[in-house]
Amino acid sequence: MRKCDVAVIGLGLMGSAALDALLDSGVDALGFDPVGPGSNRGSSHGSCRIFRRFNFENSNYTALSDEAHAGWMRLQNDHGKTILTPTPVLEAGLPGSRMVAASRAATIGKGLPDPVLTPAEANRRFPAFDLPDGWDVVVQDGGAILRTEVVMEIMRARAGDRVITEAAQFEPRQDGVSIRTANDAFFAERAILALGPWLGRALPKLGSLLRITRQAVGWFRPARPASVEFGRLPIFILERGPNDVVYGFPNFESRGVKAAPHNHGPAVGPDDWDPPATDRELGPVSEALATLVPGAAGPIVDRDVCLYTNTPAADRRPDQGEEFIIDRWPDTRLVVCSACSGHGAKFAPAIGQRLARLATDPTFEAEPFFRLSRYSAF
Ligand SMILES: Cc1cc2nc3c(=O)[nH]c(=O)nc-3n(C[C@H](O)[C@H](O)[C@H](O)COP(=O)(O)OP(=O)(O)OC[C@H]3O[C@@H](n4cnc5c(N)ncnc54)[C@H](O)[C@@H]3O)c2cc1C
């Protein structure tokens, strides 16, 4: 039986970052995942995600973004491949938009200029837009296009033969964790479960809390191509009403404008990746582009599906839900990670460090808002 100090089960962005942090600090670690970079499964698949420094979800995240940014830059400098492409982030919403107000509030006290623009100013600066008078608008610096596929390739290459490309089943024991794949048996002192949407299946007590949703993604052939090129169009997040948020990227890959709804799609299981996004699912995105970003509007030229894994609101501390779980699993030598409510990717180096420390440093705890103890079920 092969032994290691720490096993990482699931090598999406979170598990890959945890394995990278462990190996970097000399820990005898192994990672397990049947799929690799370039697959179209797992919440980390695809070429890009949005990196935001200022997060409307929680102002605590600015420090986490800064920590992650340093991690991304280290990786980028070590490997000479672009991981972050700096890009402004435009956030806009109906008058009184809570999203825009929270994003603006996250910059207060940072010694930065006020990010507010009038819709007319934003439309002039970024001519693909036609934001209505009266809308609230901020344009934040510190954003970037995060090249997730590049990250996955680099991290997998760095881990080398420490990756077992098989699905793993685990069984907690008093002195560690037994792990089985189709071809081998392993024993780890501790194991990190970074299973994305499959986490609830592995830990049914958590499964009853987690909600997985199907998220449609589309690429649109722009009506005015010059207005949506990288450098002309920012990353954008538009709140058209409660539970109606659309985000998008400039056409940086010559594949069209990638745009998608951020509000939750229908609840599904972790193996429900088909069919690709339908015209009906992408209808609200087409409509949002036609009215608010007419330069980007046009026929759908490509489509995808990804899964969000959402946590409910806590019942032991104030939290609106959709907060990550980064903690030890009670009475075992397991560490658990659920970091996908649609905006976890950007934090992967910071979350990976936390997972690695939870597995190797008994005195370490993640921030209270990431702990399981925020739920009375734990
Ligand atoms: C449509 C969409 C848009 C998003 N946009 C953004 C964004 O703009 N910005 C941002 O920061 N974040 C964004 N996110 C969120 C981000 O992508 C996630 O936070 C992140 O990918 C979660 O990674 P993960 O490692 O937790 O899960 P996953 O990537 O799902 O990894 C889980 C891994 O576990 C593996 N696995 C499953 N079962 C086993 C087993 N038995 N043994 C071994 N391995 C197993 C799977 O193969 C998989 O690779 C978005 C997510 C989606 C779906």
Side-chain angles (χ1 to χ4, degrees):
M1 180 187 292
R2 198 164 161 190
K3 294 190 174 178
C4 65
D5 288 343
V6 183
V8 183
I9 307 183
L11 298 176
L13 283 165
M14 303 307 146
S16 294
L19 182 63
D20 200 63
L22 289 162
L23 295 174
D24 206 38
S25 52
V27 176
D28 174 21
L30 287 176
F32 296 82
D33 201 316
V35 305
S39 146
N40 62 355
R41 295 288 182 267
S43 298
S44 306
H45 83 267
S47 66
C48 62
R49 296 289 187 273
I50 300 172
F51 180 92
R52 282 176 287 140
R53 179 169 190 225
F54 301 108
N55 297 272
F56 55 82
E57 294 86 348
N58 182 338
S59 57
N60 287 322
Y61 284 154
T62 311
L64 201 68
S65 285
D66 288 347
E67 188 185 329
H69 190 273
W72 292 128
M73 292 314 288
R74 264 196 305 279
L75 205 61
Q76 178 165 297
N77 293 335
D78 283 357
H79 291 271
K81 284 191 178 167
T82 301
I83 290 177
L84 290 180
T85 305
T87 310
V89 180
L90 179 146
E91 291 158 315
L94 290 168
S97 160
R98 285 177 58 186
M99 178 188 85
V100 175
S103 174
R104 184 182 184 195
T107 64
I108 287 170
K110 300 276 185 294
L112 297 166
D114 190 334
V116 166
L117 258 65
T118 64
E121 286 166 340
N123 294 338
R124 254 196 315 278
R125 182 167 161 197
F126 303 113
F129 286 103
D130 187 13
L131 299 171
D133 284 346
W135 267 43
D136 293 341
V137 185
V138 289
V139 177
Q140 300 280 17
D141 288 329
I145 299 168
L146 168 63
R147 314 291 184 118
T148 38
E149 210 156 82
V150 174
V151 169
M152 294 285 283
E153 280 160 10
I154 292 176
M155 286 187 170
R156 194 56 75 93
R158 276 160 73 99
D161 64 1
R162 309 304 295 183
V163 173
I164 314 293
T165 51
E166 290 187 276
Q169 309 306 319
F170 66 92
E171 195 183 328
R173 290 177 18 181
Q174 211 172 5
D175 55 346
V177 184
S178 294
I179 295 166
R180 283 205 157 275
T181 65
N183 294 307
D184 229 330
F186 300 80
F187 177 81
E189 299 279 332
R190 295 183 190 275
I192 296 171
L193 305 182
L195 290 164
W198 292 273
L199 184 63
R201 185 177 281 171
L203 296 171
K205 184 173 176 185
L206 201 52
S208 61
L209 285 181
L210 300 177
R211 185 166 179 269
I212 304 166
T213 56
R214 172 182 157 93
Q215 301 300 136
V217 180
W219 283 259
F220 297 80
R221 186 183 304 138
R224 284 186 269 126
S227 69
V228 300
E229 287 307 309
F230 176 75
R232 296 284 284 161
L233 185 71
I235 291 166
F236 58 89
I237 308 178
L238 308 172
E239 188 179 41
R240 299 196 303 164
N243 203 25
D244 186 357
V245 175
V246 167
Y247 64 89
F249 294 75
N251 182 19
F252 71 102
E253 302 178 291
S254 305
R255 188 180 174 188
V257 169
K258 177 181 175 181
H262 181 53
N263 34 296
H264 298 165
V268 292
D271 295 319
D272 296 339
W273 294 84
D274 293 320
T278 61
D279 286 355
R280 194 163 157 261
E281 288 173 301
L282 290 170
V285 181
S286 299
E287 194 188 296
L289 295 181
T291 53
L292 299 169
V293 205
I300 300 165
V301 287
D302 208 349
R303 45 189 90 220
D304 194 12
V305 157
C306 193
L307 304 183
Y308 283 179
T309 304
N310 307 295
T311 56
D315 56 358
R316 280 219 186 107
R317 48 174 293 128
D319 136 1
Q320 308 291 311
E322 302 188 16
E323 190 55 272
F324 309 146
I325 295 171
I326 303 168
D327 206 350
R328 296 186 183 85
W329 188 248
D331 306 320
T332 64
R333 288 167 168 247
L334 298 171
V335 171
V336 292
C337 172
S338 179
C340 181
S341 37
H343 70 112
K346 66 172 111 47
F347 301 124
I351 292 177
Q353 286 289 344
R354 281 161 178 68
L355 295 171
R357 287 196 66 191
L358 283 166
T360 55
D361 176 355
T363 64
F364 179 76
E365 299 286 351
E367 289 82 347
F369 43 91
F370 291 145
R371 293 186 206 158
L372 283 164
S373 57
R374 66 184 192 263
Y375 298 112
S376 55
F378 290 91

